Amino acid sequence: MRDNISGILKSVQKPARYTGGEFGQIVKDKAKIKARFAFCFPDTYEIGMSNLGIRILYGVLNQAEDIWCERAYMPWVDMEEQLVKNKIPLFAHESGDSLRDFDFVGFTLQYELCYTNVLKMLELAGIPLFSAERGEDMPIIIGGGPCSYNAEPIADFFDIFSIGEGEEALPELMRLYISMKENGTYSKASFLREASHLEGFYVPSLYDVAYNNDGTIAYYKPKFDDVPAKIKKRIISDMDKAYFPEKLVMPYIETVHDRIMLEVYRGCIRGCRFCQAGMVYRPVREKSPDVLSNQAKVLYENTGYNEISLSSLSISDYSCLTELTDNLLSWTDEAKINLSLPSLRADSFTKELMDKISTVRTTSLTFAPEAGTQRLRDAINKNVTEEDLLNAVRVAFSAGKNQVKLYFMNGLPTETDEDIEGIALTAKHVIDEFYRTPDRNKSKPVSVTVSVACFIPKPFTPFQWEPQCSMEELEVKQKHLNEKITDRKIKHNYHDAKVSRIEAVFARGDRRLSVALAEANRRDMKFDSWDEFFNYDKWLEVFSECGIDPAFYANREIGEDEILPWDIIDCGVTKEFLLRERHKSRESKTTCNCKEGCSACGANNLGGNFTWCPKTKNK
Amino acid sequence: MVSENQKQMINSNTDKKNKRPEPKNMNAVSGAMPVRIKFSKNGDLIYISHLDLNRTMQRIIIRAGIPIWYSEGFNPQPKLVFSSPLSIGCASDCEYMDIKLVKEIDFQEALKRLNECAPEGLVFHEMYAQKSKFTEIAFAEYEIVISDSGDSEKSELAQKINELFSKPVYLMKRSKSGENETDICRFINRISAVSEENLIKISCVLCADSANYLNPEYIVTALKNKFGILHGDIIKEWYTITRKNLLKSDGETSFI
Ligand code: SF4
C-alpha cells in the first residue's frame, strides 16, 4: 500500500493527477487476483485519461474476476522529484502498489516521442530497462498501440508486444499466464515462447537480427522453428458485438477529451498515402447506428458527461451518419448534450451536417487539404478539390462562422515551390470566398489559420520508402511559405522541423536505436512531446555518442527491395499494394476509396463484418 | 433552452415564487424550487479545486437523475452554487450546495441516489428547502491535527501554541489589495490546542465571510515559522485540516 504521501501531494501541482480514487475506478481484493496488470500511459494524467483505447482495455481486463487492471501515468517533473527524494517507487493509482509488484506492466505507445517517458517510468518503478536484465521477479513488460507496428527501436526494452486490437487478445494472454502459473509450467521464457504462438503477439527476443555492412538489414530469423516468421495483426470482426465499456473512470480534473467518445467505426476507406492510421487500421468495420445510440445513452447515464464526440478517422464517411445523428439528436437535445464531430472532410461537409452540430460553441472549423495544389493532393491521394473546400467554407460562413483552420503538410514527396505557394493561394481563396458569401457574419472579421506540419515517412504507408527533407530544406520551405502569406487575415503556424526529424528517426528506426534511448534516459531526457522539454541538440549529442547517424533513418530513400524493420509485422495491407500506391503517386494518379471500389490492399484477408471489402462484404 | 417539461413545472409553481425569497447568486427562474444539499468531502477529494468540484458535482447530479435546473443560453449548464470556498488540501464535514429543481422529488430517495453516484470521500448528508442565505455565514470551525517527529514535548508545545495566539501574530497575508503584513489574530474568533498521544490537536473558529476570510493554512504557517515544526521528513511529518462547522455571526449558532 501507498505510504502517507499527503505531504507530497500538498507540495505538487495538480495533486489529483496522482490520488486515484475517481468514481468508476475498479478496486479488487488482492487475495482473489491471479494476474495484476498495470496499464501505463507514458504521458500526463490529463492526456492518458482521454485515451479511448485505455478506457476499453481497462474495462475488458477487469471483466474477469481473477484479473485486476490498474492505471499509472507519467508523473510531472515536480512529482518525479518528490518520488525520487522520498524513495517512493512509481505506483499504480488504484492500489498504490509499486509497478514492480505487478505481473504485467503494459504501455500504450501512441507516439514515438513518448519512448523516453516509457523508460523514465520503468526507472522510477525500479524496473531494469532492458528485458535481458530482468529476472523472474520482475513484471512482464508489454507494449501496444500505433507505435507497436514498428516497435523495433524499443524492442530491447519490452518482453512482448500486442499487435493490433487488444480487446480479445489481452484477455487470452492473461488466461495463458494464469493457466501456466496454475499448472506449474510457468517460467518467463516458457510463457513468452507459448505467447508467441497466440495470434497478434510479438516477442522480440525470439528473433535474431543481422545487418549488412551498409547498415541495412540482412535478415530477421526466428530463433526456434515454432516461432512465427511474421506476426499477424489482430482485429475485432464484429464491432457491434465488441466489448464496450459501459462505465468510465471519471477524472476530477479537466482532461484533454473530457467527454463521451463514441467510436463509430474502425479503419478508414480513404488511403491517403502519408497516413499510417489509414493503412494499419484497415479494413473499415462499422457499428450500427442503433447500437451506437444505445451505447451513448448508457454512457451518458453512467457518466453524466454532457458532450458526445463521434470519434473515428473520418466521421463523414460513416455510411449511416444521418441515421445516427438523427437517432442521437432525438434524446441528446432534451438532455442538453452537445454533439461534436471532429475531423470533417471538406467534400462531405454539408449544410445539413452543419445544422446538426450548430449547438457546438466553437466559431471555428477545421479542414485538412494537406497540400496546396491539385497535383500534389492527387499525388498523396487526398481526394479533395479546392472546389470542395470552397463549398465547405461557404456553408460554414453562411452559418455565421468566421474562423477556418486549414491543415497542410510541408516536405511531401514531389513537393515543389509551386505547391508551397499553393498553400498561400488556397488560404487566400478561402478569404475571398468569405467576402463572396452574401449572408456571412459581417460583425466580425474573417480569419484563416494555416497550420503546417512536416511530412514524416511512416511505416506501412506508401511513403514509407521516401526520405524526409533535411532540416535545412524544411526550414527553407517554411520560410518560403511565410513570405508568400502577405494577407494579415491569414495566420501561419508550423511544426518544429527538429521535432519532426526525431520523430522520423524513431518511426523508421530499428533495434540499434535502443542504445540511444538508454543513453537519453541516462541523460534524464523525458517529455519529448512537450516543447519545454524537447531538446534537439541533446538528441544529436546522444546519437553521436552512440555512433548513430540520424540521417540514415530519417533522410534516406529506402530501397524497395530492402528488408524493413517492420517487415516482421503483417498488418493486413500488403507491400505490393503499398508499392503500387507509391508508383501511382509519382504519376499523380489517385486511387478510389473502399466505398467506390476495392483496390486490393490485402486487408480483407483479416476478415471483419460490416466492411466494404469484396470477400467479406455482407451489407 | 427550457424543455416543455420544465415550462410546465415553472408555470404550475408560479404561486410559490411570492412566498420564497430568491436566494442571491441564483438567476431567477420563476418557480424552480431551490434546495440545499449538505455534503462532506474527505480523503483524496481534498486535493481537487473548486472548479473541479463543480464539474464533478454536475456529473454526479446528472448520473443520479436529479431534475436540476440548467442555466439558459447557448451552452446550458446545470446551475450549482456553493457555500464558502474551501482551500485545496482541506477536508470538510459540512459543505453546502444550492441547486434548483424543475420537478418535485423525494429528498430521501434523491440523497440515496446521489450517494450511489458519488466517488469515495464525497458523502451527501441532507437535502432540504433553502431556509437561509450563504451571506449569513460568518465563521468556520476547523480541526487541525499535526504529527511532528521533532523531540519537543507535545504537551509543552500545545501550551506554547495557546500562548502564541493570545498576542498578535504577524504574517504575510494575501488579500484583495495584495500581500500585506497582517495580524492574523484579527481573523481568529477562538483557538485552543491540546496534545493527544503524539499528536497536536487544534480547534479554531476563523472568519469565513467573503470580506474577511482566513485560510486555516495560515495557522499552520504560523506554527511552522514560530516553532520550526513540520520541516523534516515529508512522509513522517504531516498535518490535516478539517472544516467541522459553519457558524453565523454570533460565532455559536450553526448555519444550515
Ligand atoms: S481489401 Fe479493398 S475494400 Fe478492403 S480495405 Fe483493402 S482496398 Fe479497401
Side-chain angles (χ1 to χ4, degrees):
Chain A
M1 258 319 268
R2 194 166 84 193
D3 287 310
N4 177 1
I5 57 165
S6 65
I8 291 179
L9 292 174
K10 281 179 188 169
S11 72
V12 297
Q13 284 176 44
K14 299 197 193 174
R17 281 170 168 170
Y18 312 107
T19 56
E22 306 94 329
F23 180 78
Q25 77 163 14
I26 295 171
V27 175
K28 294 188 177 183
D29 176 1
K30 265 191 259 182
K32 294 183 186 138
I33 299 303
K34 293 176 186 150
R36 296 185 67 186
F37 194 107
F39 215 117
C40 300
F41 191 90
D43 212 318
T44 61
Y45 175 86
E46 291 92 319
I47 301 175
M49 279 295 282
S50 306
N51 183 272
L52 183 60
I54 297 193
R55 288 183 182 178
I56 295 172
L57 294 172
Y58 183 77
V60 95
L61 285 171
N62 278 318
Q63 262 187 322
E65 263 175 34
D66 52 358
I67 299 171
W68 185 11
C69 175
E70 304 186 37
R71 297 161 299 142
Y73 306 90
M74 175 76 178
W76 193 243
V77 278
D78 55 353
M79 185 62 172
E80 182 198 329
E81 192 190 317
Q82 290 291 349
L83 292 177
V84 172
K85 202 161 87 190
N86 295 292
K87 301 193 176 61
I88 299 171
L90 187 62
F91 53 83
H93 282 210
E94 281 78 358
S95 63
D97 289 338
S98 155
L99 297 186
R100 273 178 77 146
D101 301 341
F102 282 74
D103 299 285
F104 289 85
V105 172
F107 286 92
T108 173
L109 307 162
Q110 298 288 321
Y111 26 85
E112 290 82 4
L113 292 179
C114 76
Y115 291 166
T116 47
N117 279 6
V118 171
L119 298 191
K120 180 53 81 179
M121 287 178 79
L122 290 175
E123 179 200 326
L124 288 174
I127 298 172
L129 303 186
F130 286 95
S131 58
E133 291 167 4
R134 290 192 296 262
E136 292 287 332
D137 60 328
M138 284 293 162
I140 289 163
I141 312 297
I142 176 167
C147 291
S148 60
Y149 288 102
N150 177 27
E152 293 311 290
I154 44 171
D156 289 347
F157 308 114
F158 280 77
D159 295 301
I160 185 165
F161 290 100
S162 164
I163 307 296
E165 296 164 7
E167 52 260 79
E168 287 171 359
L170 275 187
E172 272 173 37
L173 187 74
M174 295 297 110
R175 290 266 80 88
L176 174 69
Y177 177 82
I178 291 169
S179 76
M180 288 183 77
K181 281 256 165 172
E182 281 179 339
N183 66 25
T185 54
Y186 180 87
S187 69
K188 196 182 262 184
S190 60
F191 167 70
L192 291 174
R193 182 82 167 268
E194 276 301 315
S196 77
H197 302 159
L198 296 177
E199 198 177 277
F201 286 101
Y202 169 43
V203 180
S205 60
L206 294 178
Y207 298 84
D208 284 322
V209 187
Y211 303 91
N212 300 314
N213 287 339
D214 63 359
T216 57
I217 292 165
Y219 61 81
Y220 264 72
K221 252 193 221 139
K223 287 182 180 163
F224 308 97
D225 289 345
D226 56 312
V227 174
K230 241 183 193 295
I231 292 90
K232 193 165 156 191
K233 154 186 114 175
R234 285 288 285 265
I235 65 160
I236 300 298
S237 282
D238 190 339
M239 285 302 293
D240 276 348
K241 297 202 186 99
Y243 171 82
F244 172 79
E246 296 195 336
K247 292 193 174 124
L248 301 179
V249 183
M250 298 295 296
Y252 293 120
I253 55 176
E254 203 161 9
T255 56
V256 181
H257 298 299
D258 209 1
R259 61 182 77 105
I260 293 171
M261 284 181 285
L262 202 60
E263 190 185 23
V264 177
Y265 65 90
R266 285 195 188 156
C268 180
I269 60 168
R270 295 286 164 174
C272 299
R273 291 178 179 134
F274 56 85
C275 178
Q276 187 185 41
M279 296 293 162
V280 297
Y281 297 139
R282 283 181 176 216
V284 166
R285 285 142 296 143
E286 296 191 342
K287 283 191 184 185
S288 49
D290 288 351
V291 168
L292 285 166
S293 182
N294 287 337
Q295 290 180 340
K297 199 161 195 172
V298 169
L299 265 188
Y300 165 69
E301 282 161 4
N302 287 341
T303 62
Y305 274 131
N306 59 0
E307 183 174 351
I308 298 174
S309 158
L310 302 183
S311 82
S312 280
L313 285 171
S314 170
I315 190 66
S316 41
D317 289 334
Y318 178 50
S319 59
C320 314
L321 188 60
T322 309
E323 206 180 329
L324 174 65
T325 45
D326 288 349
N327 209 330
L328 287 171
L329 287 169
S330 72
W331 59 273
T332 53
D333 245 7
E334 190 165 357
K336 300 184 176 60
I337 299 171
N338 270 332
L339 269 195
S340 58
L341 304 173
S343 64
L344 290 163
R345 275 183 67 88
D347 55 355
S348 53
F349 186 77
T350 59
K351 173 96 178 56
E352 196 200 351
L353 205 55
M354 174 86 212
D355 289 343
K356 284 182 182 167
I357 56 164
S358 61
T359 45
V360 179
R361 280 151 287 163
T362 142
T363 51
S364 112
L365 274 171
T366 304
F367 298 101
E370 304 293 0
T373 60
Q374 198 56 46
R375 184 206 62 82
L376 190 53
R377 279 194 295 272
D378 288 346
I380 63 175
N381 204 37
K382 184 93 200 176
N383 290 327
V384 170
T385 62
E386 183 165 306
E387 205 189 320
D388 294 329
L389 177 68
L390 296 182
N391 282 338
V393 297
R394 193 179 316 121
V395 170
F397 290 149
S398 67
K401 313 254 168 189
N402 53 359
Q403 290 172 28
V404 173
K405 218 177 181 182
L406 301 175
Y407 283 134
F408 291 96
M409 236 180 242
N410 250 173
L412 284 162
T414 75
E415 185 185 53
T416 62
D417 280 357
E418 196 192 332
D419 299 310
I420 294 169
E421 288 151 21
I423 295 176
L425 223 54
T426 308
K428 177 82 179 50
H429 292 163
V430 169
I431 301 265
D432 295 344
E433 195 60 41
F434 178 79
Y435 291 108
R436 261 200 303 265
T437 309
D439 50 349
R440 66 182 182 269
N441 177 355
K442 291 181 182 114
S443 65
K444 281 188 232 141
V446 61
S447 103
V448 172
T449 304
V450 170
S451 189
V452 188
C454 303
F455 165 69
I456 299 168
K458 293 269 179 160
F460 293 113
T461 64
F463 290 162
Q464 64 182 0
W465 295 275
E466 306 290 345
Q468 187 180 47
C469 294
S470 72
M471 284 243 321
E472 296 70 32
E473 282 173 274
L474 280 171
E475 279 164 3
V476 167
K477 283 169 188 283
Q478 286 172 343
K479 226 178 119 226
H480 186 63
L481 176 57
N482 220 12
E483 281 160 7
K484 290 290 162 192
I485 296 177
T486 46
D487 194 328
R488 299 255 301 280
K489 295 179 211 76
I490 303 173
K491 278 190 224 96
H492 173 209
N493 51 50
Y494 43 88
H495 286 195
D496 188 347
K498 294 172 176 157
V499 176
S500 305
R501 183 160 195 248
I502 300 300
E503 244 184 285
V505 170
F506 287 105
R508 297 200 301 180
D510 58 37
R511 288 192 183 186
R512 288 167 296 185
L513 288 176
S514 63
V515 189
L517 284 166
E519 175 61 19
N521 173 261
R522 205 185 61 75
R523 295 176 184 226
D524 197 28
M525 288 161 70
K526 59 201 163 197
F527 283 116
D528 281 302
S529 57
W530 293 69
D531 285 347
E532 60 260 59
F533 289 97
F534 178 81
N535 186 328
Y536 184 65
D537 294 334
K538 262 185 157 179
W539 273 114
L540 292 187
E541 281 169 33
V542 165
F543 289 137
S544 91
E545 168 101 17
C546 302
I548 287 165
D549 174 15
F552 177 81
Y553 297 102
N555 312 108
R556 185 173 69 95
E557 178 173 350
I558 297 178
E560 291 185 354
D561 50 1
E562 256 182 57
I563 296 171
L564 304 168
W566 52 94
D567 278 349
I568 184 106
I569 305 295
D570 171 9
C571 80
V573 171
T574 60
K575 211 178 208 178
E576 293 70 40
F577 169 74
L578 297 176
L579 277 171
R580 265 199 320 271
E581 285 294 294
R582 180 185 196 213
H583 299 150
K584 279 173 94 174
S585 93
R586 291 296 168 91
E587 299 161 34
S588 298
K589 278 199 185 135
T590 61
T591 297
C592 63
N593 68 50
C594 299
K595 255 190 207 181
E596 296 160 346
C598 173
S599 43
C601 76
N604 58 327
N605 291 325
L606 299 165
N609 297 346
F610 298 98
T611 71
W612 301 97
C613 311
K615 272 184 212 156
T616 50
K617 193 165 179 174
N618 57 2
K619 276 202 188 221
Chain B
M1 260 175 285
V2 181
S3 71
E4 266 320 298
N5 212 346
Q6 283 167 303
K7 275 183 207 151
Q8 265 173 23
M9 194 55 226
I10 290 160
N11 293 336
S12 65
N13 275 357
T14 36
D15 53 342
K16 285 186 190 163
K17 187 191 159 200
N18 305 327
K19 290 176 205 153
R20 195 178 291 108
E22 282 293 324
K24 249 187 171 174
N25 298 333
M26 278 293 203
N27 291 340
V29 135
S30 47
M33 180 189 180
V35 296
R36 181 158 294 164
I37 300 170
K38 181 182 182 185
F39 63 95
S40 57
K41 185 177 170 232
N42 287 287
D44 291 336
L45 256 131
I46 67 173
Y47 299 109
I48 72 171
S49 70
H50 183 71
L51 224 75
D52 297 332
L53 181 69
N54 189 60
R55 204 173 33 242
T56 299
M57 282 293 187
Q58 287 185 356
R59 287 170 189 164
I60 292 172
I61 288 168
I62 297 176
R63 292 200 287 269
I66 307 293
I68 188 174
W69 179 77
Y70 277 63
S71 65
E72 317 251 343
F74 205 33
N75 179 29
Q77 294 289 329
K79 182 81 179 158
L80 319 171
V81 180
F82 290 89
S83 57
S84 49
L86 190 66
S87 53
I88 292 189
C90 246
S92 177
D93 294 344
C94 62
E95 294 297 295
Y96 296 91
M97 167 175 74
D98 286 355
I99 62 170
K100 283 186 180 187
L101 300 177
V102 292
K103 216 171 19 191
E104 295 217 25
I105 52 167
D106 180 87
F107 288 164
Q108 283 318 309
E109 177 59 28
L111 270 180
K112 194 173 138 251
R113 281 214 307 275
L114 283 170
N115 279 319
E116 282 164 5
C117 297
E120 217 182 295
L122 192 63
V123 180
F124 296 93
H125 300 283
E126 289 170 55
M127 188 169 186
Y128 49 85
Q130 287 161 23
K131 302 182 188 78
S132 58
K133 294 179 182 173
F134 286 150
T135 48
E136 290 171 37
I137 297 168
F139 298 101
E141 186 185 340
Y142 298 92
E143 182 183 66
I144 302 172
V145 178
I146 298 171
S147 155
D148 173 59
S149 57
D151 312 323
S152 57
E153 180 56 47
K154 294 293 174 290
S155 61
E156 239 170 69
L157 188 57
Q159 188 54 38
K160 279 203 264 177
I161 292 172
N162 286 327
E163 281 161 22
L164 174 70
F165 291 105
S166 65
K167 293 187 281 292
V169 176
Y170 287 94
L171 282 182
M172 290 306 283
K173 181 181 182 298
R174 236 177 298 148
S175 70
K176 280 174 194 126
S177 54
E179 213 170 39
N180 296 306
E181 179 106 320
T182 313
D183 172 19
I184 60 163
C185 288
R186 273 176 40 212
F187 301 93
I188 302 176
N189 178 288
R190 53 187 186 269
I191 184 164
S192 71
V194 293
S195 67
E196 240 180 72
E197 295 180 6
N198 254 331
L199 303 173
I200 300 282
K201 285 193 176 167
I202 299 168
S203 165
C204 56
V205 172
L206 312 178
C207 287
D209 63 66
S210 55
N212 298 295
Y213 181 85
L214 187 68
N215 185 334
E217 290 284 347
Y218 283 110
I219 304 288
V220 180
T221 308
L223 301 183
K224 282 185 184 171
N225 291 356
K226 303 291 171 187
F227 305 123
I229 59 169
L230 294 169
H231 283 297
D233 188 320
I234 201 166
I235 305 289
K236 290 197 201 103
E237 303 199 350
W238 48 262
Y239 65 95
T240 60
I241 303 175
T242 309
R243 183 184 270 175
K244 304 300 269 186
N245 204 356
L246 289 173
L247 304 168
K248 294 193 182 183
S249 58
D250 62 0
E252 298 290 340
T253 328
S254 296
F255 172 85
I256 46 170

